[in-house]
Amino acid sequence: MRDSDRTVIRALALFREIAEAEFDRLIEGAFLQRFPMHVVLINEGEHADFLHIIVEGVVELFARYEARETTIEILQPVTTFIPAAVVRDDVYLKSARTLAPSRILMIPATNVREMFGRDPVFARAVVDEVALRYRRLVRALKDQKLRTGAERLANWILETDRQQGSRGRVSMPYEKRTLSALLGMTPENLSRTLASLTAHGISGNGREILISDRDALLRCARPDPLIDGPE
Amino acid sequence: MRDSDRTVIRALALFREIAEAEFDRLIEGAFLQRFPMHVVLINEGEHADFLHIIVEGVVELFARYEARETTIEILQPVTTFIPAAVVRDDVYLKSARTLAPSRILMIPATNVREMFGRDPVFARAVVDEVALRYRRLVRALKDQKLRTGAERLANWILETDRQQGSRGRVSMPYEKRTLSALLGMTPENLSRTLASLTAHGISGNGREILISDRDALLRCARPDPLIDGPE
DNA sequence: CGTGGGGTTGATACAGTTCAAGATACGTGG
DNA sequence: CCACGTATCTTGAACTGTATCAACCCCACG
């Protein structure tokens, strides 16, 4: 593992506070691997043998049922997945694939569980992490059940703009079909909804969306700190 | 607190393994309170000052956005809520209300966090609990995004029957309007969907549903261990 | 009895999906 | 570097699922 990689991983909330020796022991047996785009890293139903950490790239968490598929979450560096399955020593409930060439650190699940029992500082960090994920998911479920497609899209634009520095220019980090699955709609529907938002403060071509009238967009989106919060 | 209450709470996965003295210290300053039906216990947005435990009754976790409201989860004894907000020392993202006369144990959040740092056994139990909840929520989101209303209802019937001892006779523990919110549909729609399932193995009057042809219902529901699992 | 809330039923409207065709962008190989 | 082929995206039309609005029924409860 490169020194620069070690540094960014060490900076994760999960590892920031733990002692140097503990960290070394944890990542013993871990390996950092490079994956091309569109590679499946995890299949739902498999037993959780590794805690994955996305060091570089983009990873989609998705799930299937019958012939249908939906996106649960899209992860960018630096983030762990999927901590809950590792903690409970159970099967994954979601699959994961790369959406861009990515570098993934894989830590053996046994290391994580073993260290959890040994280091209270790490234990504290793991709970924080899982609780954070839980809350993110609550937000996603509220978004899904309480809003229309247009509202979800409008709020996604605002939130993504914020994450990208509030420049009023959002660039989609993945395909539109993926975004549509994340927002819980079909690609056709996303296309139409995007077109209809043109009358409410945005304009776009390709993977670029410009926020030309933020107030109009806000009137559409009506963001809520208990759904779209900065967490 | 009654001795019998102490026993059931102590039997919770969260508290089962911890030492007697630690348990005493944890529930110091806690209080067990009786609430009538339809009382709001938690308002989303409030800071999480207590870990609640439902000892008796039924509690609904719900959320609002604009004029809309939806149910996130319905809890029956013995369960904690809402651990993630307590762990992160943050605001609740969901509200909670009783759906039946209930007895609720309220443990000061500071006790929980303080003990977490002191007792690794308890720490382990808390992570397990939060991770379990996380996974339940993943299942709920998959249910919501990947299935139609009729499928959700059919699976709810099968799952509830299982929880009630697989007697082929399901009794709804709450109003139909609540069930409809849990399943993400309107009351009218639930009524119609329930009627339509009559042709697929169920019959019902009032709050009783009889499974007359389980195979037919299974063909409708097509349950999936990664969505409807026993967790 | 009357009253009110939950539940059902019907008619209508809308959001979202599906199917199909056309346009555009993109990577690949010549 | 261009031409080609494929996949993505867009647009249109028909259809399905679900929501909304309104009337009505029924039972519980005062």
Side-chain angles (χ1 to χ4, degrees), chain A residues 2 5-7 14 27 47-48 52-53 61 72 77 80 85 87 89 92 112 121 140 155 166 171 173 181 183 189 208:
Chain A
R2 291 187 218 153
D5 293 331
R6 194 183 191 282
T7 307
L14 246 189
I27 62 173
H47 184 265
H52 293 66
I53 298 176
L61 301 184
I72 306 292
T80 62
V87 159
D89 195 8
Y92 296 111
V112 175
V121 175
N155 280 293
S166 304
S171 79
L183 296 176
N189 200 5
E208 289 276 309

Side-chain angles (χ1 to χ4, degrees), chain B residues 205-231:
Chain B
N205 6 11
R207 285 199 185 177
E208 290 275 311
I209 299 172
L210 265 97
I211 302 176
S212 48
D213 182 349
R214 188 176 296 268
D215 287 345
L217 186 57
L218 281 166
R219 272 193 301 278
C220 255
R222 297 184 309 279
D224 178 333
L226 298 179
I227 302 182
D228 314 285
E231 252 174 27

Side-chain angles (χ1 to χ4, degrees), chain A residues 65 68 94 134 146 222, chain B residues 65 68 94 134 146 222:
Chain A
Y65 173 67
R68 306 161 219 173
K94 299 171 287 192
Y134 176 87
L146 290 168
R222 297 183 307 279
Chain B
Y65 173 67
R68 307 160 217 173
K94 299 172 287 192
Y134 175 86
L146 290 169
R222 297 184 309 279

